[in-house]
Amino acid sequence: MTWNIPNILTLLRLLAAPGVAILFLYFARPWADWFALILFIIAASTDWLDGYLARAWNQQTKFGAMLDPIADKAMVIIALLVITGFSGMNPWILLPATLIMFRETFVSGLREFLGDTAGTLKVTKLAKWKTAAQMTAIAVLFSTGAFETYFEIAVEGMDTATIDAIILGDIPDENGIVWKLNGAFYSWWVGIVLLWVAMGLTVITGADYLRKATPYLKDD
């Protein structure tokens, strides 16, 4: 194994994947949501940076090529598990998250089975867009969790009639209820749209990989 900066960045991204979930064990919300969002964004940015540095410095290695997709998949799957759990198994999140995790596991299994011929399943540009869409959607949905927690704190102890009156502007919004509700609403739908786009790209690229691998799956 060659320890250069691109490979170290990839390893740090892999280690950051469980860190996103562990943060919720040690910090209360919404701080856990913001810390998870920051850690996820920093880790996700290394996905572009390590590849760029490896090409620019001619430091591409087999170890890096092996570890990079594993780190990406670990980040996406663990983050989706956290978001799905805190969403209360909301079907708008559960369905795309399930298909994304299924595809990632399936493609990893294909690569493992193909062994030396796994080069057949090289990462395509569409697959890179898929990863970018997944990570952007996850980052936005982490912010949704923070906004929702802020809203719940702001309306604590209020009855429904009071909350409705504040939203309608009949009562001064001293706790910033409206902007917190708007933040939760808009970030939710932006995140959901991106997640479903990512799901579509995930299914398309998964089918493409299966098509390329099919000739190697036939018995003699």
Side-chain angles (χ1 to χ4, degrees):
M1 294 183 293
T2 303
W3 291 106
N4 51 37
I5 292 179
N7 285 350
I8 292 173
L9 289 174
T10 304
L11 180 61
L12 291 176
R13 184 165 75 258
L14 178 62
L15 295 177
V20 169
I22 292 172
L23 285 170
F24 286 88
L25 299 178
Y26 293 96
F27 296 97
R29 304 182 72 185
W31 291 110
D33 297 274
W34 289 125
F35 291 153
L37 172 61
I38 293 170
L39 178 60
F40 187 85
I41 291 175
I42 293 174
S45 66
T46 65
D47 183 35
W48 171 84
L49 183 59
D50 59 16
Y52 172 80
L53 292 178
R55 291 186 297 271
W57 296 346
N58 195 26
Q59 293 184 348
Q60 295 168 301
T61 64
K62 291 182 179 179
F63 177 66
M66 177 275 298
L67 196 62
D68 185 72
I70 294 175
D72 291 344
K73 287 174 174 56
M75 279 189 59
V76 168
I77 290 174
I78 292 175
L80 284 176
L81 286 173
V82 172
I83 291 172
T84 302
F86 280 115
S87 73
M89 306 298 283
N90 187 301
W92 285 97
I93 291 179
L94 181 60
L95 177 58
T98 300
L99 289 177
I100 288 171
M101 286 187 278
F102 173 80
R103 181 270 189 195
E104 301 296 6
T105 304
F106 180 75
V107 172
S108 295
L110 273 180
R111 285 198 170 101
E112 181 179 354
F113 176 79
L114 292 175
D116 294 338
T117 57
T120 307
L121 305 183
K122 290 182 179 179
V123 178
T124 62
K125 287 187 178 180
L126 192 61
K128 292 180 179 179
W129 279 106
K130 175 268 302 180
T131 301
Q134 289 176 353
M135 291 186 174
T136 304
I138 289 168
V140 174
L141 289 173
F142 270 132
S143 70
T144 300
F147 282 121
E148 288 176 345
T149 304
Y150 280 131
F151 177 76
E152 291 170 2
I153 294 173
V155 301
E156 188 175 1
M158 295 184 183
D159 55 44
T160 304
T162 302
I163 297 172
D164 291 341
I166 293 173
I167 293 174
L168 293 173
D170 298 332
I171 298 176
D173 185 14
E174 297 178 353
N175 294 339
I177 290 175
V178 173
W179 74 260
K180 293 166 185 174
L181 180 61
N182 287 337
F185 177 81
Y186 289 111
S187 62
W188 163 264
W189 281 111
V190 169
I192 290 298
V193 169
L194 288 172
L195 188 63
W196 279 71
V197 169
M199 180 192 70
L201 294 174
T202 298
V203 171
I204 292 171
T205 55
D208 180 56
Y209 285 149
L210 177 60
R211 179 185 61 81
K212 292 176 179 177
T214 298
Y216 300 94
L217 303 178
K218 296 178 180 179
D219 294 324
D220 295 335

